[in-house]
Amino acid sequence: ARQGRVVSMGGRDLRTSAAAPLLLAALAWPRLGLAQTPAPPTAPNVTPDVPRVLVHVEGAPDAVVQQDAKGDGQWTTVCTGSCDALVPLGPATRIDGDGLRTSSTFHLDAPAGGRVTLNVAPGSSGRFATGLFLVPIGVLAILGGSYLTLAALASGGGSEAIQPPPPSPVPGEIVIGLGAAVVIGGVVLLVHDATTSVRQASAAPAAPPPAASGPPAPAWRERTPEERALPVAAVAPLWVGRF
């Protein structure tokens, strides 16, 4: 055997050979394993999950579903668009979004684990602002038309005419009519788009299929050659009729 240099271990001389590195590694391995052994992980604090429902939104592609989780008026977005996400069941909920009037606060009406569809009739912020602009303009037009009508009547009341002039629309009356139409249109926009309305349609979670009772049905099997060789039993008809 090939002999090499002398290695001192614990006061004894060990002549290295081809198996010496393996022996040194075997002696050092337990100490390395003890030094690198990680501490056992601590168990995390597991909190029970809150009940949730699957929410689906229809009628408003730009809708944003928000909830006030802590009841402090801080609204957070839980899903957008058609949603189709699991949402906590308890907190107050509302519908908001870009260009939409904020809906009234409501609670999800569905059993835990069920499904609820929110049918949203969006109220437009732009149309509501247009209604706010049209109503005072129409009121001013009505007041201006009334003034023109009274002025025309006062100017023609003192003159004596032999024949009355042919009937013609008074400019003040036209202004009054236009102002009334503007006011009506503005009020319609204010009422229609005052808020975003929401209707809920809930469904309970699907029940699991009932367990089969009784013995299981026998599985289909192919006929054996012996069964195929048997003659087919002939059955005579008991009654023959013609229709």
Side-chain angles (χ1 to χ4, degrees), residues 27-114:
L27 293 176
W29 178 255
R31 297 181 180 179
L32 294 176
L34 293 175
Q36 298 178 356
T37 302
T42 57
N45 295 328
V46 180
T47 57
D49 194 12
V50 297
R52 297 175 181 268
V53 293
L54 181 64
V55 177
H56 175 72
V57 179
E58 293 183 353
D62 299 329
V64 174
V65 181
Q66 297 180 337
Q67 285 190 332
D68 185 6
K70 299 181 180 180
D72 55 357
Q74 300 295 327
W75 295 90
T76 57
T77 300
V78 294
C79 59
T80 59
S82 59
C83 196
D84 292 327
L86 292 175
V87 176
L89 182 59
T93 310
R94 72 179 185 182
I95 300 294
D96 201 356
D98 188 13
L100 299 180
R101 296 280 295 171
T102 305
S103 70
S104 302
T105 303
F106 61 93
H107 289 80
L108 297 176
D109 185 13

Coordinates of all heavy atoms in Angstrom, one line a residue, residues 27-114:
L27 N -15.4 11.2 10.6 CA -15.3 11.7 12.0 C -15.9 13.1 12.2 O -16.4 13.4 13.2 CB -13.8 11.6 12.4 CG -13.2 10.2 12.5 CD1 -11.7 10.3 12.9 CD2 -13.9 9.4 13.6
A28 N -15.7 13.9 11.2 CA -16.2 15.3 11.3 C -17.7 15.5 11.0 O -18.3 16.5 11.3 CB -15.4 16.2 10.4
W29 N -18.3 14.6 10.3 CA -19.7 14.7 9.8 C -20.7 14.9 11.0 O -21.6 15.7 10.9 CB -20.1 13.5 9.0 CG -21.5 13.6 8.5 CD1 -22.6 12.9 8.9 CD2 -22.0 14.5 7.5 NE1 -23.7 13.2 8.3 CE2 -23.4 14.2 7.4 CE3 -21.5 15.5 6.7 CZ2 -24.2 14.9 6.5 CZ3 -22.3 16.1 5.8 CH2 -23.7 15.9 5.7
P30 N -20.6 14.1 12.1 CA -21.6 14.3 13.2 C -21.5 15.7 13.8 O -22.6 16.2 14.1 CB -21.2 13.2 14.2 CG -20.5 12.2 13.4 CD -19.7 12.9 12.4
R31 N -20.3 16.2 13.9 CA -20.2 17.6 14.5 C -20.8 18.6 13.6 O -21.5 19.5 14.0 CB -18.8 17.9 14.8 CG -18.1 17.0 15.8 CD -16.7 17.4 16.1 NE -16.1 16.5 17.1 CZ -14.8 16.6 17.5 NH1 -14.1 17.6 17.0 NH2 -14.4 15.8 18.4
L32 N -20.6 18.5 12.3 CA -21.2 19.4 11.3 C -22.7 19.3 11.3 O -23.4 20.3 11.2 CB -20.6 19.2 9.9 CG -19.2 19.5 9.7 CD1 -18.7 19.1 8.3 CD2 -18.9 21.0 10.0
G33 N -23.2 18.1 11.4 CA -24.7 17.9 11.4 C -25.3 18.5 12.6 O -26.4 19.1 12.6
L34 N -24.6 18.4 13.8 CA -25.2 19.0 15.0 C -25.1 20.5 15.0 O -26.0 21.2 15.4 CB -24.4 18.5 16.3 CG -24.6 17.1 16.6 CD1 -23.7 16.7 17.8 CD2 -26.0 16.7 16.9
A35 N -24.1 21.1 14.3 CA -24.0 22.6 14.2 C -25.0 23.2 13.3 O -25.4 24.3 13.5 CB -22.5 22.9 13.9
Q36 N -25.3 22.5 12.2 CA -26.2 23.0 11.2 C -27.7 22.6 11.4 O -28.5 22.9 10.5 CB -25.7 22.6 9.8 CG -24.3 23.1 9.5 CD -23.9 22.6 8.1 OE1 -24.6 21.8 7.5 NE2 -22.7 23.1 7.7
T37 N -28.0 21.9 12.4 CA -29.4 21.5 12.6 C -30.3 22.7 12.9 O -30.0 23.4 13.9 CB -29.5 20.5 13.7 OG1 -28.7 19.3 13.4 CG2 -31.0 20.0 13.9
P38 N -31.3 23.1 12.1 CA -32.1 24.2 12.4 C -33.0 24.0 13.5 O -33.4 22.9 13.9 CB -32.9 24.4 11.1 CG -33.0 23.1 10.5 CD -31.7 22.4 10.9
A39 N -33.4 25.1 14.2 CA -34.4 25.0 15.3 C -35.8 24.7 14.7 O -36.1 25.1 13.6 CB -34.4 26.3 16.0
P40 N -36.5 23.9 15.5 CA -37.9 23.6 15.0 C -38.7 24.8 14.8 O -38.7 25.7 15.7 CB -38.4 22.7 16.1 CG -37.6 23.0 17.3 CD -36.3 23.4 16.8
P41 N -39.5 24.9 13.7 CA -40.3 26.1 13.5 C -41.4 26.2 14.5 O -42.0 25.2 14.9 CB -40.8 26.0 12.0 CG -40.8 24.5 11.8 CD -39.6 24.0 12.6
T42 N -41.8 27.4 14.8 CA -42.9 27.7 15.7 C -44.2 27.6 14.9 O -44.2 28.1 13.8 CB -42.7 29.0 16.4 OG1 -42.6 30.0 15.4 CG2 -41.5 29.1 17.3
A43 N -45.2 27.1 15.5 CA -46.5 27.0 14.8 C -47.1 28.4 14.7 O -47.2 29.2 15.7 CB -47.5 26.1 15.6
P44 N -47.6 28.8 13.5 CA -48.2 30.2 13.3 C -49.5 30.2 14.0 O -50.2 29.2 14.2 CB -48.3 30.3 11.8 CG -48.4 28.9 11.3 CD -47.6 28.1 12.3
N45 N -49.9 31.5 14.4 CA -51.2 31.7 15.0 C -52.3 31.7 13.9 O -52.3 32.5 13.0 CB -51.2 33.1 15.7 CG -50.3 33.1 16.8 OD1 -50.1 32.1 17.5 ND2 -49.7 34.2 17.1
V46 N -53.1 30.7 13.9 CA -54.1 30.5 12.8 C -55.4 31.1 13.3 O -55.9 30.6 14.4 CB -54.3 29.0 12.5 CG1 -55.3 28.8 11.4 CG2 -52.9 28.4 12.0
T47 N -55.9 32.0 12.6 CA -57.2 32.7 13.0 C -58.3 32.1 12.1 O -58.1 31.8 11.0 CB -57.1 34.2 12.8 OG1 -56.8 34.5 11.5 CG2 -56.1 34.8 13.7
P48 N -59.5 31.8 12.7 CA -60.6 31.3 11.9 C -60.9 32.3 10.8 O -61.0 33.5 11.0 CB -61.7 31.1 12.9 CG -61.3 32.0 14.0 CD -59.8 32.1 14.1
D49 N -61.2 31.8 9.6 CA -61.6 32.6 8.5 C -63.0 33.1 8.6 O -63.9 32.4 9.2 CB -61.5 31.8 7.2 CG -61.5 32.7 5.9 OD1 -61.4 33.9 6.1 OD2 -61.7 32.1 4.9
V50 N -63.2 34.3 8.1 CA -64.5 34.9 8.2 C -65.4 34.3 7.1 O -64.9 33.9 6.1 CB -64.4 36.5 8.0 CG1 -63.6 37.1 9.1 CG2 -63.8 36.8 6.7
P51 N -66.7 34.3 7.4 CA -67.6 33.7 6.3 C -67.6 34.6 5.1 O -67.6 35.8 5.2 CB -69.0 33.7 7.0 CG -68.9 34.7 8.1 CD -67.5 34.6 8.6
R52 N -67.6 34.0 3.9 CA -67.6 34.7 2.7 C -68.6 34.2 1.7 O -69.1 33.1 1.9 CB -66.2 34.6 2.0 CG -65.0 35.2 2.8 CD -63.7 34.9 2.2 NE -62.6 35.5 3.0 CZ -62.1 36.7 2.8 NH1 -62.6 37.4 1.8 NH2 -61.1 37.2 3.6
V53 N -68.9 35.0 0.7 CA -69.9 34.6 -0.3 C -69.3 35.0 -1.7 O -68.4 35.9 -1.8 CB -71.2 35.3 -0.2 CG1 -71.9 34.8 1.1 CG2 -71.1 36.8 -0.1
L54 N -69.7 34.3 -2.7 CA -69.2 34.6 -4.1 C -70.1 35.7 -4.6 O -71.3 35.5 -4.7 CB -69.3 33.3 -4.9 CG -68.8 33.5 -6.4 CD1 -67.3 33.9 -6.4 CD2 -69.0 32.2 -7.1
V55 N -69.5 36.8 -5.0 CA -70.2 38.0 -5.5 C -70.0 38.2 -7.0 O -68.9 38.1 -7.5 CB -69.8 39.3 -4.7 CG1 -70.5 40.5 -5.3 CG2 -70.0 39.1 -3.2
H56 N -71.1 38.4 -7.7 CA -71.1 38.6 -9.1 C -71.9 39.9 -9.4 O -73.0 40.1 -8.9 CB -71.7 37.5 -9.9 CG -71.8 37.7 -11.4 ND1 -70.7 37.8 -12.2 CD2 -72.9 38.0 -12.2 CE1 -71.1 38.0 -13.4 NE2 -72.4 38.2 -13.4
V57 N -71.4 40.8 -10.2 CA -72.0 42.1 -10.4 C -72.4 42.2 -11.9 O -71.6 41.8 -12.8 CB -71.0 43.3 -10.1 CG1 -71.6 44.6 -10.4 CG2 -70.5 43.2 -8.7
E58 N -73.6 42.6 -12.1 CA -74.2 42.8 -13.5 C -74.7 44.2 -13.6 O -75.2 44.8 -12.6 CB -75.3 41.8 -13.7 CG -74.8 40.3 -13.8 CD -75.9 39.4 -14.1 OE1 -77.1 39.9 -14.2 OE2 -75.7 38.2 -14.4
G59 N -74.6 44.7 -14.8 CA -75.2 46.0 -15.2 C -74.3 47.2 -15.1 O -74.7 48.3 -15.6
A60 N -73.1 47.1 -14.6 CA -72.2 48.2 -14.5 C -70.7 47.6 -14.6 O -70.2 47.2 -13.6 CB -72.3 48.9 -13.2
P61 N -70.2 47.6 -15.9 CA -68.8 47.1 -16.1 C -67.7 47.8 -15.3 O -66.7 47.2 -15.0 CB -68.6 47.2 -17.6 CG -70.0 47.4 -18.2 CD -70.8 48.1 -17.1
D62 N -68.0 49.1 -15.0 CA -67.0 49.9 -14.3 C -67.3 50.0 -12.8 O -66.7 50.9 -12.1 CB -66.9 51.3 -14.8 CG -66.5 51.3 -16.3 OD1 -65.8 50.4 -16.7 OD2 -66.9 52.2 -17.1
A63 N -68.1 49.1 -12.3 CA -68.5 49.2 -10.8 C -67.3 48.8 -10.0 O -66.5 47.9 -10.4 CB -69.7 48.4 -10.6
V64 N -67.3 49.3 -8.8 CA -66.3 49.0 -7.8 C -67.0 48.6 -6.5 O -67.8 49.4 -6.0 CB -65.3 50.1 -7.5 CG1 -64.4 49.8 -6.3 CG2 -64.5 50.4 -8.7
V65 N -66.8 47.4 -6.0 CA -67.5 47.0 -4.7 C -66.5 47.3 -3.6 O -65.4 46.9 -3.5 CB -67.7 45.4 -4.8 CG1 -68.4 45.0 -3.5 CG2 -68.6 45.1 -6.0
Q66 N -67.0 48.1 -2.6 CA -66.3 48.5 -1.5 C -66.9 48.1 -0.2 O -68.2 47.9 -0.1 CB -66.1 50.1 -1.5 CG -65.3 50.6 -2.7 CD -65.2 52.1 -2.6 OE1 -66.0 52.8 -2.0 NE2 -64.2 52.6 -3.3
Q67 N -66.1 47.9 0.8 CA -66.6 47.5 2.2 C -65.9 48.3 3.3 O -64.8 48.7 3.1 CB -66.4 46.0 2.4 CG -67.3 45.1 1.6 CD -67.2 43.6 2.0 OE1 -66.2 43.2 2.5 NE2 -68.3 42.9 1.9
D68 N -66.7 48.5 4.3 CA -66.2 49.2 5.5 C -66.0 48.1 6.6 O -66.9 47.7 7.3 CB -67.2 50.2 6.0 CG -66.6 51.0 7.2 OD1 -65.5 50.8 7.6 OD2 -67.4 51.8 7.8
A69 N -64.8 47.5 6.5 CA -64.5 46.3 7.3 C -64.6 46.6 8.8 O -65.1 45.8 9.6 CB -63.2 45.7 7.0
K70 N -64.1 47.7 9.3 CA -64.0 48.0 10.7 C -65.1 48.9 11.2 O -65.2 49.3 12.4 CB -62.6 48.7 11.0 CG -61.4 47.8 10.7 CD -60.1 48.5 11.1 CE -58.9 47.6 10.8 NZ -57.7 48.3 11.1
G71 N -66.0 49.4 10.3 CA -67.1 50.3 10.7 C -66.6 51.7 11.1 O -67.3 52.4 11.8
D72 N -65.4 52.1 10.6 CA -64.9 53.4 10.9 C -65.0 54.4 9.7 O -64.4 55.5 9.8 CB -63.5 53.3 11.4 CG -62.6 52.6 10.4 OD1 -63.1 52.2 9.3 OD2 -61.4 52.5 10.6
G73 N -65.8 54.0 8.7 CA -65.9 54.9 7.5 C -64.8 54.9 6.5 O -64.7 55.6 5.6
Q74 N -63.8 53.9 6.7 CA -62.7 53.7 5.8 C -63.1 52.6 4.8 O -63.1 51.5 5.1 CB -61.4 53.4 6.5 CG -61.0 54.4 7.5 CD -60.6 55.7 6.9 OE1 -60.1 55.7 5.7 NE2 -60.8 56.8 7.5
W75 N -63.5 53.0 3.6 CA -63.9 52.1 2.6 C -62.8 51.6 1.8 O -61.9 52.4 1.3 CB -65.0 52.8 1.7 CG -66.2 53.2 2.4 CD1 -66.5 54.4 3.0 CD2 -67.4 52.3 2.6 NE1 -67.7 54.3 3.5 CE2 -68.3 53.1 3.3 CE3 -67.7 51.1 2.2 CZ2 -69.5 52.6 3.6 CZ3 -68.9 50.6 2.5 CH2 -69.9 51.3 3.3
T76 N -62.7 50.3 1.6 CA -61.7 49.6 0.8 C -62.3 48.8 -0.3 O -63.4 48.3 -0.1 CB -60.8 48.7 1.7 OG1 -61.7 47.7 2.3 CG2 -60.1 49.4 2.8
T77 N -61.6 48.8 -1.4 CA -62.1 48.1 -2.6 C -61.8 46.6 -2.5 O -60.7 46.2 -2.2 CB -61.5 48.6 -3.9 OG1 -61.8 50.0 -4.0 CG2 -62.0 47.9 -5.1
V78 N -62.9 45.8 -2.6 CA -62.7 44.3 -2.5 C -62.7 43.6 -3.9 O -62.2 42.5 -4.0 CB -63.8 43.7 -1.6 CG1 -63.6 44.2 -0.2 CG2 -65.2 44.1 -2.1
C79 N -63.4 44.2 -4.9 CA -63.4 43.7 -6.2 C -63.9 44.7 -7.2 O -64.6 45.7 -6.8 CB -64.1 42.4 -6.3 SG -65.9 42.5 -5.9
T80 N -63.6 44.6 -8.4 CA -64.0 45.5 -9.5 C -64.7 44.8 -10.7 O -64.5 43.6 -10.8 CB -62.8 46.3 -10.0 OG1 -61.8 45.4 -10.5 CG2 -62.2 47.1 -8.9
G81 N -65.3 45.5 -11.5 CA -65.9 44.9 -12.7 C -67.0 44.0 -12.3 O -67.9 44.2 -11.5
S82 N -67.0 42.8 -13.0 CA -68.0 41.8 -12.7 C -67.7 41.0 -11.4 O -68.5 40.2 -11.0 CB -68.1 40.7 -13.8 OG -66.8 40.1 -14.0
C83 N -66.6 41.4 -10.7 CA -66.3 40.8 -9.4 C -65.9 39.3 -9.5 O -64.8 39.0 -9.7 CB -67.3 41.1 -8.4 SG -66.8 40.9 -6.7
D84 N -66.9 38.5 -9.3 CA -66.7 37.0 -9.3 C -65.6 36.6 -8.3 O -64.7 35.9 -8.7 CB -66.4 36.5 -10.7 CG -67.6 36.6 -11.6 OD1 -68.7 36.5 -11.2 OD2 -67.4 36.9 -12.8
A85 N -65.7 37.1 -7.1 CA -64.7 36.8 -6.1 C -65.4 36.6 -4.7 O -66.6 37.0 -4.5 CB -63.8 38.0 -5.9
L86 N -64.7 36.0 -3.8 CA -65.2 35.7 -2.5 C -65.0 37.0 -1.7 O -63.9 37.5 -1.5 CB -64.5 34.5 -1.8 CG -64.7 33.2 -2.5 CD1 -63.8 32.1 -1.8 CD2 -66.2 32.8 -2.3
V87 N -66.1 37.4 -1.1 CA -66.2 38.7 -0.4 C -66.7 38.4 1.1 O -67.6 37.6 1.2 CB -67.1 39.7 -1.1 CG1 -67.2 41.0 -0.3 CG2 -66.5 40.0 -2.5
P88 N -66.1 39.1 2.1 CA -66.6 38.9 3.5 C -68.1 39.2 3.6 O -68.6 40.1 2.9 CB -65.7 39.8 4.3 CG -64.5 40.0 3.5 CD -64.9 39.9 2.1
L89 N -68.8 38.4 4.4 CA -70.2 38.5 4.4 C -70.7 39.6 5.4 O -71.7 40.3 5.1 CB -70.8 37.2 4.9 CG -72.3 37.0 5.0 CD1 -73.0 37.3 3.6 CD2 -72.7 35.7 5.5
G90 N -70.0 39.9 6.5 CA -70.6 40.8 7.5 C -70.5 42.3 7.2 O -71.4 43.0 7.5
P91 N -69.4 42.9 6.7 CA -69.2 44.3 6.7 C -70.2 45.0 5.8 O -70.8 44.4 4.9 CB -67.8 44.5 6.1 CG -67.1 43.2 6.4 CD -68.1 42.2 6.3
A92 N -70.4 46.3 6.0 CA -71.2 47.2 5.2 C -70.6 47.3 3.8 O -69.4 47.4 3.7 CB -71.4 48.5 5.8
T93 N -71.5 47.3 2.8 CA -71.0 47.2 1.4 C -71.7 48.4 0.6 O -72.8 48.8 0.9 CB -71.3 45.9 0.8 OG1 -70.9 44.8 1.6 CG2 -70.7 45.7 -0.6
R94 N -71.0 48.8 -0.4 CA -71.6 49.8 -1.3 C -71.0 49.7 -2.7 O -69.9 49.0 -2.9 CB -71.3 51.3 -0.8 CG -69.9 51.7 -0.9 CD -69.7 53.1 -0.4 NE -68.3 53.6 -0.6 CZ -67.9 54.8 -0.2 NH1 -68.7 55.6 0.5 NH2 -66.7 55.2 -0.4
I95 N -71.6 50.3 -3.7 CA -71.1 50.3 -5.1 C -70.6 51.7 -5.4 O -71.3 52.7 -5.2 CB -72.2 49.9 -6.0 CG1 -72.7 48.5 -5.7 CG2 -71.7 49.9 -7.5 CD1 -71.6 47.4 -5.9
D96 N -69.4 51.8 -5.9 CA -68.9 53.1 -6.3 C -68.1 52.8 -7.7 O -68.1 51.7 -8.2 CB -67.9 53.6 -5.3 CG -67.7 55.1 -5.4 OD1 -68.2 55.7 -6.4 OD2 -67.0 55.7 -4.5
G97 N -67.5 53.9 -8.2 CA -66.8 53.7 -9.4 C -66.6 55.0 -10.1 O -67.2 56.1 -9.8
D98 N -65.7 55.0 -11.1 CA -65.4 56.2 -11.9 C -66.6 56.6 -12.8 O -67.1 55.8 -13.6 CB -64.2 56.0 -12.8 CG -63.7 57.2 -13.5 OD1 -64.2 58.3 -13.1 OD2 -62.9 57.1 -14.4
G99 N -67.2 57.8 -12.5 CA -68.3 58.2 -13.3 C -69.7 57.7 -12.7 O -70.7 58.0 -13.4
L100 N -69.7 57.0 -11.6 CA -70.9 56.5 -11.0 C -71.2 57.2 -9.7 O -70.3 57.7 -9.0 CB -70.7 55.0 -10.7 CG -70.5 54.1 -11.9 CD1 -70.4 52.6 -11.4 CD2 -71.6 54.2 -12.9
R101 N -72.5 57.4 -9.5 CA -72.9 57.9 -8.2 C -72.8 56.8 -7.1 O -73.1 55.6 -7.4 CB -74.3 58.4 -8.3 CG -74.5 59.6 -9.2 CD -74.2 60.9 -8.6 NE -75.0 61.2 -7.5 CZ -74.8 62.2 -6.6 NH1 -73.7 63.0 -6.8 NH2 -75.7 62.5 -5.7
T102 N -72.4 57.1 -5.9 CA -72.2 56.1 -4.9 C -73.6 55.6 -4.4 O -74.5 56.4 -4.2 CB -71.4 56.7 -3.7 OG1 -70.2 57.2 -4.2 CG2 -71.2 55.6 -2.7
S103 N -73.7 54.3 -4.3 CA -74.9 53.7 -3.9 C -75.1 53.8 -2.4 O -74.2 54.2 -1.6 CB -75.0 52.2 -4.3 OG -74.1 51.5 -3.5
S104 N -76.3 53.5 -1.9 CA -76.5 53.4 -0.5 C -75.8 52.2 0.1 O -75.5 51.3 -0.6 CB -78.1 53.4 -0.2 OG -78.7 54.5 -0.8
T105 N -75.6 52.3 1.4 CA -74.9 51.2 2.1 C -75.9 50.0 2.3 O -77.1 50.2 2.6 CB -74.4 51.7 3.5 OG1 -73.6 52.8 3.3 CG2 -73.7 50.5 4.2
F106 N -75.4 48.8 2.0 CA -76.2 47.6 2.2 C -75.3 46.5 2.7 O -74.1 46.6 2.7 CB -76.9 47.2 0.9 CG -75.9 46.9 -0.2 CD1 -75.5 45.6 -0.5 CD2 -75.4 47.9 -1.1 CE1 -74.6 45.3 -1.5 CE2 -74.5 47.7 -2.1 CZ -74.1 46.4 -2.3
H107 N -76.0 45.4 3.1 CA -75.3 44.2 3.5 C -75.6 43.0 2.6 O -76.7 42.9 2.1 CB -75.6 43.8 5.0 CG -75.1 44.7 6.0 ND1 -75.7 45.9 6.3 CD2 -74.0 44.6 6.8 CE1 -75.0 46.5 7.2 NE2 -74.0 45.8 7.6
L108 N -74.6 42.2 2.3 CA -74.8 41.1 1.4 C -75.8 40.1 2.0 O -75.6 39.6 3.1 CB -73.5 40.4 1.1 CG -72.4 41.3 0.4 CD1 -71.1 40.5 0.3 CD2 -72.9 41.7 -0.9
D109 N -76.9 39.8 1.2 CA -77.9 39.0 1.7 C -77.8 37.6 1.1 O -78.4 37.3 0.0 CB -79.3 39.6 1.3 CG -80.5 38.8 1.9 OD1 -80.2 37.9 2.7 OD2 -81.6 39.0 1.4
A110 N -76.9 36.8 1.7 CA -76.7 35.4 1.2 C -76.1 34.6 2.3 O -75.5 35.1 3.2 CB -75.8 35.4 0.0
P111 N -76.4 33.3 2.3 CA -75.8 32.4 3.4 C -74.3 32.2 3.1 O -73.8 32.4 2.0 CB -76.5 31.1 3.2 CG -77.0 31.1 1.8 CD -77.3 32.5 1.4
A112 N -73.6 31.9 4.2 CA -72.1 31.7 4.1 C -71.8 30.6 3.1 O -72.4 29.5 3.1 CB -71.6 31.4 5.5
G113 N -70.9 30.9 2.2 CA -70.6 29.9 1.2 C -71.5 29.9 0.0 O -71.2 29.2 -1.0
G114 N -72.5 30.8 0.0 CA -73.4 30.9 -1.1 C -72.9 31.8 -2.2 O -71.8 32.2 -2.3

